[in-house]
Amino acid sequence: MKTNLLIGILFLTLFSYGVNAQSTKINSQIESKKSETMQQIFIDKFIVPEKSKQEFLERVQINRNFIKHLDGFINDNAYERIDENGNLIYITIAVWKNESVLKKAKETVQAYYKKEGFNISEMFERLHITMERNVYKESEKL
């Protein structure tokens, strides 16, 4: 009797593990498909010293005008404030149709920079600008 009980428990454990593994695989596939249909929200936060503000804003305007013409671009907004040290805190939010168009847009922007001889890393270092960049998705409705 104990042997049958142990075999039963072992079977249920293995079956449960198999179901969970399959469920994890299915969830992963669903998430992958979602990223292809779900809008991608590209958010950048810049901290710009006061003396660097003009050059930075000129470059931002060039970039924002460029991305508006790329396939899959939906919209963008920019927000700013001055912190207690006089730095410009500048946040841009660009919304893209899905993950693949965002990837293509990044590649297109990099090619554009290369063509015009612009090096964003050099500019940020020279102007002492720091940046935090992340891609978000819309939060699921509760």
Side-chain angles (χ1 to χ4, degrees):
M1 182 72 169
K2 287 184 182 180
T3 304
N4 288 342
L5 182 60
L6 288 174
I7 290 172
I9 291 171
L10 180 60
F11 174 76
L12 286 174
T13 302
L14 290 174
F15 177 76
S16 176
Y17 174 77
V19 169
N20 287 338
Q22 184 65 21
S23 176
T24 300
K25 182 178 178 183
I26 291 169
N27 286 340
S28 177
Q29 290 170 343
I30 290 170
E31 286 300 315
S32 179
K33 287 184 192 289
K34 272 187 183 179
S35 69
E36 276 309 306
T37 59
M38 185 176 286
Q39 290 182 350
Q40 301 291 294
I41 297 46
F42 197 65
I43 301 177
D44 288 335
K45 177 182 177 183
F46 305 93
I47 301 174
V48 183
E50 184 177 0
K51 65 182 178 177
S52 303
K53 181 178 174 180
Q54 182 177 345
E55 184 176 344
F56 169 78
L57 290 175
E58 288 170 4
R59 185 70 228 184
V60 166
Q61 193 60 41
I62 292 168
N63 290 2
R64 289 181 74 200
N65 287 335
F66 181 75
I67 67 169
K68 289 177 182 181
H69 302 287
L70 299 179
D71 287 337
F73 173 83
I74 295 175
N75 69 2
D76 75 330
N77 290 295
Y79 305 91
E80 65 180 70
R81 72 177 179 89
I82 303 298
D83 72 7
E84 61 279 355
N85 298 317
N87 296 311
L88 172 67
I89 308 300
Y90 198 83
I91 296 174
T92 59
I93 302 173
V95 180
W96 297 89
K97 182 178 176 182
N98 59 39
E99 186 176 19
S100 62
V101 297
L102 176 56
K103 181 181 178 197
K104 178 71 175 158
K106 288 177 183 180
E107 293 168 358
T108 303
V109 168
Q110 290 305 313
Y112 175 68
Y113 286 171
K114 186 175 183 178
K115 181 180 175 186
E116 68 174 1
F118 175 67
N119 183 324
I120 194 167
S121 298
E122 181 278 329
M123 177 186 161
F124 282 8
E125 186 175 326
R126 179 174 48 82
L127 297 178
H128 305 285
I129 296 170
T130 58
M131 176 183 70
E132 180 182 318
R133 170 172 282 171
N134 288 292
V135 178
Y136 295 81
K137 62 180 180 165
E138 187 173 359
S139 181
E140 305 226 355
K141 307 289 188 236
L142 298 176

